[in-house]
Every structure is written in C-alpha cells, then in structure tokens.
Amino acid sequence: MQIDHSALAGISTELPASRFAHEQLRRAAVAGFKWPNSDLVVKKVEEELHEVRDAIAADDKDALKAEIGDLLHAVHTLAEFHGVNAEEALAGTNAKFGKRFTAVEKILTERGESMATTPLKDMIQVWNAQKDSDSIGASR
C-alpha cells in the first residue's frame, strides 16, 4: 500500500468544485506553492482568457471546456489571493443578476414589449440604466 504524502491528499472529491478549489489552494499555499503578488495572478487570468479565445476560434469544444475550467480556477485563485470567498462573490453576483434581469423584464412589460421580441441592444440599454440606478442607490 502506497501512502500519499501530497499536501493535497485527502481532499474530499464530494466537495462542490468551488470548495474543492478553495481547499486545494489553501493547502498548496501552506506547502509554499503560492503566488508572490497579485499582478502575476491577474496575468494568469489573462493568459487563461486568451486560451479560451483560442479554443473558441478553433471551435474545439473539449479544449474550450478545459480552458474554461482553467480560467475559473485562475479567477478563484485571484479571489483567494485577496481574501475574497469566491463562492460568496458568485452568490452575490447571482442575486444582483437576478434583480437586474427581473427589472428589465418588468420595464419591458410596462412598455408593452417582451424579451423575445426586443432587440438585444435595447435590452442592454435597459440593463445599463438599471445598473446605473443600482450604483446610484449604493452610493447614497
């Protein structure tokens, strides 16, 4: 029987991917494998985004899946570097998206329009107006 002495040994594969990434990154950092500064982590995110674009251009779905995973992991690493809980950050954005989306739906309905028939550029204008409204309310 081989004993695994890896710092990553024993992380439960039953964990959700975000929690698993958090634990991997935490253990790797404790073992000394950590980024020295934020700029390098941001460069890694940019590198992974470039690789996503390459996979899209190549129309390679398998590569795209892998590269999106790499991008998500790099973004998670950036969050961890700055002490941001990526799961909480995403949950907050999900709530914000839901609030803005339903506001767009409501505004279009009040105008007698629907999302199915409204051009995307018009929906984006309503979205941005809602976003600006959210920002104004947040700064008060």
Side-chain angles (χ1 to χ4, degrees), residues 4-123:
D4 191 347
H5 295 287
S6 170
L8 303 181
I11 300 174
S12 173
T13 57
E14 300 297 316
L15 290 173
S18 181
R19 180 73 183 127
F20 189 93
H22 168 78
E23 189 60 21
Q24 271 189 326
L25 293 167
R26 186 191 70 74
R27 289 185 185 195
V30 168
F33 189 80
K34 54 188 169 188
W35 293 94
N37 63 62
S38 181
D39 288 343
L40 291 175
V41 184
V42 169
K43 285 180 183 178
K44 184 65 175 171
V45 170
E46 291 168 344
E47 171 190 320
E48 296 301 344
L49 181 56
H50 181 76
E51 291 174 4
V52 165
R53 288 184 175 131
D54 288 346
I56 290 169
D59 195 26
D60 184 338
K61 298 294 184 206
D62 291 335
L64 181 59
K65 180 179 178 180
E67 295 305 340
I68 287 175
D70 291 349
L71 176 61
L72 291 170
H73 199 272
V75 169
H76 197 100
T77 302
L78 181 62
E80 293 281 328
F81 188 91
H82 289 284
V84 172
N85 181 304
E87 188 71 25
E88 290 175 5
L90 183 57
T93 294
N94 288 344
K96 183 172 47 178
F97 177 88
K99 178 183 173 193
R100 288 182 186 157
F101 184 86
T102 55
V104 170
E105 288 176 313
K106 181 179 181 212
I107 290 166
L108 292 177
T109 299
E110 288 171 354
R111 292 180 180 175
E113 301 173 24
S114 73
M115 295 196 88
T117 59
T118 302
L120 180 60
K121 67 177 183 57
D122 294 345
M123 286 190 280

